[in-house]
Amino acid sequence: MHDIKRMGMSVRGVVQGVGFRPFVYNLALSLNLKGLINNTAEGVQLEVEGEEAALAEFARRIQRDAPPLAIIEEVTHFWLDTANYDDFKITESEAGLSKFTLISPDMATCPGCLAELNNPGDRRFGYPFINCTNCGPRFTIIKDVPYDRPLTTMSCFPMCPDCLREYNDPLNRRFHAQPNACPVCGPQVNLLDRQGNQATVSNPLTGAVEMLKKGQILAVKGLGGYHLACDAYNNTAVERLRKLKNREAKPFAVMMPNLEAVREHCLISTVEEQVLVSGKRPIILLRKKNNSRLSGEVAPNNRCLGVMLPYTPLHHLLFVNGPQVLVMTSGNSSGEAIEYLDNEALANLGGIADFFLTHNRDIHIRTDDSVLRIFRGREMMIRRSRGYAPLPVKLPFRADGIMATGAELKNTLCLTRGNMAFLSQYIGDLENLSNILAFEQTVNHLQKMFDINPEAVAYDLHPDYLSSKYAQEMSGLEGFPVQHHHAHIASCMAENGLLEDVIGVALDGAGYGTDGTIWGGEFFTGSCHGFTRRAHLAYVPMPGGAKAIKQPWRMAVSYLETLPGIKTSHMSLPPFKYSDPQTLEAVRGLIKHPSTIVTSGAGRLFDAVSSLLGVRQEISYEGQAAIELEQLASESYDCRSYGFTVIKNQLPWTICLDTMFAEIVDDLLHQHSVQKIASRFHMTISEIIIAVCCLIRQETGINKVVLSGGVFQNTLLLSRSVKGLEMELFEVYTHSLVPCNDGGIALGQAVMAGWALKERGKASCV
């Protein structure tokens, strides 16, 4: 007889609600091991008893062969006295004093459930809420941990005998699938008119499909909120949706039934296909084919489409005999938070949607769709939300008990525990009450989910940001104001595990600077302990302040008016022709006025050039002028850059663009194509980045470059900059896990505050 030993294991990570316990159960049986396993508030606790060789094999395979949705962060082994177990059991979950475990994001319908959904012989055939341990709602239905049905929004749906049998069978893939349900016992769909009355249809789903085919707009309840949907081929329906949603030009996302449909309308790489069909099911920005027959109103003046595949059973059913492509945009009025409560959705979307395809499974926490693009074979996050949140970002040091409240626009917040930073789902712009309420709800929810009681709060340096005011009103917490662009660089450093000094390039629209001006075209050196501003784009006035953001022609006039020797012939250029003489003179007066705020923002520079080329004089959504300018430019243009000067008489250096603007004006007056000028401009900005980084390296010896800020969502600029820096033998780091835009700011704030606490002995490196 071989010696029998008993081993205890504690497993932390995403191990609840993902089929981990039945996996362990079956693994133990296959190795003839006895023992038990249960969920705890900290993860999974198990004991196994058997021969030493079998225990060793068990320990190897528990990590190697874990279920697809499981993410194992830490496994602790310890030896125990033998207990002479008779079998292996899965015991009831235990509540603990500490409530910390990682939670899975919501996941798209898995192949197994999809096969059942489409099988007329299956008892769940056509059921819109089919799920198992490999898929379905997670984060959006959880009220508390541990993740068990009574602590989710499924608690009001008692399982029927058949579902309960599956739920209790360790050999079934629905073993302890908390949202497990069927048509007999689970949630049901309903079709309502905009007054909340039952629609007169025999079947809510087939009725909804017919309405979509007739060109009507539907509000569709999903995992984390409502979508507004219509037939993407129907130009009248898409135009009507734009008008009713007050969304003049910003592109709509579309949902396509499968990869074949995506290939019909878009150019798509192998990596893009892999991410598109993954369980995360994000929206991916893809290059639109010229022969796509979708309504031009889906993405006007944009050569890309934001595409996603169905990720709930209800979505799949909408494509059965329905439109081939659906507009699927967030269910909200422009700028508001996504609607997720049924009564509020009816009240707030009733003026937009003709009908509501809803259901009676509550959403506990609103979560919008994630948006990304693929850059160099990696995900490049633009909006991190469903499918990704609330998975943590690992930090290169411990930073316990920090809350970071993020930025004013594209807000997310961040909470830290140990070496994990929990970046929230996308919340949005804190310019209206609905997003502020969503922010406060998310603060409370994340603290509860991860048992984090903050001891310090980090926030943006801008005194008027609502997120900063919220932080400053939190009593009993030490406050850490963090400069906006420092946070951008720290965010990128954190996700890349960098602690050493770097050259940080932060290009965005606006951030409050330490000198009281508006920064946005910045070069730094330093690390999470602090940064030195080494160079910046030359300051120019922002005539009218916020109006200069909404009206790019103001920035074009501001740049041109500062050029030496401006000629009368410039009056024929688009920004001068756009405005009436009286307004133009008022703007000129503001440019010369000493109290007008000045900016070094790269975003405002892109706006100015867009206006100068006649691309966009006023915008209806953030970044529109720069996005449409990027659409004109091309990597294929073999062109030289425009001129610029780096003035190094003192720190920080000034990057002067007078020569560039004079040459752009000359090209325009000689009627060069705007496509060529846009390409030369992009080349110039990348050359500025490369040249300034080389100058900084000469003086500091630093060879690592970190690129961050919303301007780097421009993949043409990003690609040229990275290639050029690598040719100069720099080590270049970009974003992947979190957005380079303000959606990543909270992570950088948390890192900066965490490092400050570490240096005071309140946190430790790992």
Side-chain angles (χ1 to χ4, degrees):
M1 291 287 293
H2 295 283
D3 287 340
I4 299 298
K5 293 190 174 182
R6 177 177 168 225
M7 179 173 63
M9 298 179 73
S10 177
V11 185
R12 296 181 63 171
V14 181
V15 289
Q16 295 187 17
V18 293
F20 188 76
R21 288 182 298 168
F23 155 71
V24 170
Y25 176 89
N26 287 288
L27 177 60
L29 292 185
S30 70
L31 296 172
N32 196 31
L33 297 173
K34 311 291 194 301
L36 57 87
I37 183 172
N38 69 286
N39 280 343
T40 71
E42 295 186 348
V44 165
Q45 193 80 21
L46 62 97
E47 297 173 9
V48 280
E49 191 173 70
E51 295 181 4
E52 188 170 0
L55 292 174
E57 179 68 9
F58 178 88
R60 280 193 294 271
R61 289 173 59 184
I62 200 170
Q63 295 192 67
R64 187 191 70 187
D65 302 334
L69 297 187
I71 301 175
I72 297 177
E73 295 284 344
E74 181 183 32
V75 179
T76 304
H77 305 79
F78 47 92
W79 294 105
L80 300 165
D81 293 336
T82 56
N84 298 316
Y85 290 115
D86 294 325
D87 54 15
F88 194 91
K89 293 180 179 178
I90 298 176
T91 62
E92 291 298 316
S93 300
E94 297 177 0
L97 294 177
S98 172
K99 292 186 176 182
F100 178 69
T101 187
L102 295 182
I103 296 168
S104 170
D106 302 270
M107 286 292 161
T109 311
C110 71
C113 286
L114 196 56
E116 294 171 349
L117 182 73
N118 296 319
N119 179 6
D122 193 274
R123 73 187 187 93
R124 291 187 175 88
F125 172 63
Y127 182 56
F129 304 97
I130 189 170
N131 69 88
C132 69
T133 52
N134 296 325
C135 67
R138 298 288 194 280
F139 177 59
T140 52
I141 64 170
I142 296 172
K143 296 180 179 179
D144 205 347
V145 292
Y147 174 45
D148 282 328
R149 194 180 184 99
L151 298 178
T152 73
T153 61
M154 286 295 295
S155 60
C156 59
F157 298 100
M159 281 181 278
C160 67
D162 287 337
C163 286
L164 193 60
R165 192 177 304 113
E166 295 169 333
Y167 183 85
N168 289 323
D169 181 3
L171 300 178
N172 192 291
R173 82 172 195 279
R174 291 190 170 90
F175 175 76
H176 280 216
Q178 306 307 335
N180 187 33
C182 74
V184 174
C185 63
Q188 301 294 323
V189 293
N190 204 356
L191 188 64
L192 307 175
D193 65 20
R194 57 178 50 166
Q195 285 78 38
N197 302 314
Q198 296 273 353
T200 53
V201 293
S202 58
N203 181 292
L205 272 166
T206 56
V209 167
E210 288 305 311
M211 289 171 182
L212 288 168
K213 289 163 71 175
K214 291 176 181 177
Q216 292 183 304
I217 299 168
L218 261 66
V220 180
K221 188 176 180 180
L223 285 178
Y226 279 81
H227 285 104
L228 290 167
C230 69
D231 184 352
Y233 286 96
N234 189 323
N235 197 65
T236 301
V238 181
E239 282 185 335
R240 182 165 164 258
L241 177 56
R242 282 206 175 279
K243 181 180 178 181
L244 293 174
K245 194 179 176 181
N246 191 28
R247 186 161 169 165
E248 181 183 327
K250 190 175 183 180
F252 286 138
V254 294
M255 181 176 282
M256 300 185 183
N258 48 45
L259 283 176
E260 288 71 29
V262 178
R263 296 187 191 109
E264 179 184 344
H265 296 280
C266 301
L267 302 172
I268 183 168
S269 68
T270 301
V271 175
E272 288 166 336
E273 287 189 359
Q274 290 170 349
V275 177
L276 204 60
V277 302
S278 71
K280 299 170 183 176
R281 292 290 164 98
I283 297 169
I284 302 186
L285 300 186
L286 301 174
R287 185 68 179 265
K288 180 171 56 178
K289 286 185 175 179
N290 293 331
N291 62 353
S292 172
R293 295 178 293 109
L294 297 182
S295 166
E297 288 297 310
V298 170
N301 299 318
N302 200 307
R303 60 192 181 199
C304 292
L305 280 175
V307 180
M308 59 180 157
L309 295 181
Y311 57 84
T312 72
L314 187 147
H315 292 150
H316 285 282
L317 294 170
L318 286 177
F319 285 104
V320 177
N321 300 318
Q324 293 179 307
V325 181
L326 290 172
V327 166
M328 275 283 187
T329 187
S330 301
N332 54 11
S333 297
S334 188
E336 299 283 335
I338 185 172
E339 299 292 348
Y340 77 111
L341 298 174
D342 299 331
N343 289 338
E344 291 185 9
L346 278 167
N348 297 327
L349 301 180
I352 303 174
D354 299 304
F355 288 90
F356 289 74
L357 184 61
T358 186
H359 57 75
N360 58 343
R361 184 182 69 202
D362 288 342
I363 299 168
H364 184 65
I365 191 80
R366 72 182 99 205
T367 307
D368 216 330
D369 296 315
S370 293
V371 183
L372 58 84
R373 65 197 316 169
I374 301 299
F375 178 72
R376 289 190 156 197
R378 293 198 310 164
E379 295 178 359
M380 188 179 90
M381 201 63 61
I382 295 172
R383 187 170 78 190
R384 184 181 186 270
S385 204
R386 178 191 50 77
Y388 296 85
L391 293 177
V393 176
K394 282 190 175 180
L395 300 177
F397 60 92
R398 294 184 64 86
D400 279 304
I402 296 170
M403 176 189 290
T405 58
E408 182 88 340
L409 303 180
K410 298 181 175 66
N411 181 267
T412 60
L413 59 96
C414 185
L415 289 164
T416 66
R417 177 169 178 147
N419 68 334
M420 288 181 284
F422 295 94
L423 196 65
S424 76
Q425 75 278 18
Y426 171 82
I427 295 169
D429 299 348
L430 301 184
E431 296 178 332
N432 56 67
L433 181 60
S434 66
N435 282 333
I436 294 169
L437 293 175
F439 174 89
E440 293 175 345
Q441 179 195 29
T442 302
V443 168
N444 296 328
H445 187 62
L446 290 185
Q447 287 187 71
K448 189 175 185 180
M449 287 300 95
F450 301 113
D451 194 29
I452 298 173
N453 295 308
E455 298 178 0
V457 59
Y459 53 91
D460 196 278
L461 195 63
H462 199 299
D464 294 329
Y465 277 5
L466 291 176
S467 55
S468 299
K469 290 180 177 179
Y470 180 92
Q472 291 169 314
E473 291 170 1
M474 297 183 71
S475 60
L477 300 186
E478 184 175 3
F480 288 89
V482 180
Q483 199 279 322
H484 189 89
H485 302 96
H486 295 173
H488 269 307
I489 301 303
S491 173
C492 190
M493 291 180 70
E495 73 161 272
N496 285 286
L498 298 174
L499 289 174
E500 60 270 48
D501 282 356
V502 302
I503 299 171
V505 184
L507 303 184
D508 68 358
Y512 191 76
T514 57
D515 60 357
T517 64
I518 303 300
W519 293 3
E522 312 303 318
F523 293 77
F524 303 101
T525 56
S527 68
C528 298
H529 60 73
F531 294 96
T532 299
R533 194 184 190 201
R534 289 280 176 175
H536 61 83
L537 297 178
Y539 287 123
V540 290
M542 280 182 69
K547 284 186 178 179
I549 299 173
K550 297 288 187 181
Q551 299 176 331
W553 69 268
R554 290 172 177 258
M555 290 307 305
V557 171
S558 184
Y559 270 103
L560 293 178
E561 288 285 302
T562 59
L563 286 174
I566 186 167
K567 300 174 183 176
T568 307
S569 58
H570 294 166
M571 293 298 295
S572 66
L573 295 173
F576 292 95
K577 291 167 62 178
Y578 181 79
S579 177
D580 63 87
Q582 185 176 355
T583 305
L584 179 59
E585 282 308 307
V587 166
R588 281 175 161 156
L590 288 171
I591 291 168
K592 297 172 183 176
H593 201 282
S595 66
T596 297
I597 194 165
V598 297
T599 180
S600 61
R604 302 293 76 80
L605 170 61
F606 275 75
D607 288 351
V609 175
S610 180
S611 167
L612 189 54
L613 270 59
V615 178
R616 178 62 54 181
Q617 306 302 338
E618 295 200 27
I619 65 169
S620 61
Y621 65 91
E622 186 196 10
Q624 183 180 5
I627 290 169
E628 293 181 4
L629 180 65
E630 180 190 357
Q631 304 298 314
L632 289 174
S634 173
E635 183 81 53
S636 62
Y637 266 104
D638 183 17
C639 55
R640 60 185 176 83
S641 63
Y642 292 115
F644 61 90
T645 306
V646 181
I647 301 172
K648 298 174 60 181
N649 56 342
Q650 63 179 9
L651 278 179
W653 307 331
T654 300
I655 302 159
C656 182
L657 302 174
D658 290 358
T659 304
M660 182 190 77
F661 272 97
E663 291 178 355
I664 290 175
V665 168
D666 190 61
D667 278 355
L668 284 169
L669 295 177
H670 285 85
Q671 299 184 339
H672 290 194
S673 73
V674 292
Q675 290 82 4
K676 182 176 181 180
I677 298 171
S679 299
R680 288 191 69 184
F681 169 70
H682 279 78
M683 175 69 78
T684 304
I685 303 305
S686 64
E687 288 295 326
I688 288 171
I689 292 168
I690 296 159
V692 175
C693 286
C694 286
L695 291 172
I696 293 173
R697 180 172 60 182
Q698 289 174 13
E699 297 209 355
T700 65
I702 299 172
N703 198 54
K704 289 181 168 63
V705 176
V706 169
L707 306 178
S708 189
V711 168
F712 284 114
Q713 291 174 154
N714 181 325
T715 51
L716 174 60
L717 175 66
L718 182 63
S719 177
R720 284 179 167 175
S721 301
V722 171
K723 285 179 184 176
L725 289 165
E726 288 176 343
M727 288 180 67
E728 295 292 339
L729 303 181
F730 283 101
E731 295 177 45
V732 187
Y733 298 89
T734 60
H735 284 273
S736 175
L737 301 178
V738 301
C740 64
N741 60 44
D742 283 6
I745 283 282
L747 175 62
Q749 291 171 346
V751 167
M752 296 288 286
W755 191 266
L757 290 172
K758 172 196 170 297
E759 291 193 321
R760 283 163 36 189
K762 291 188 176 182
S764 58
C765 272
V766 293

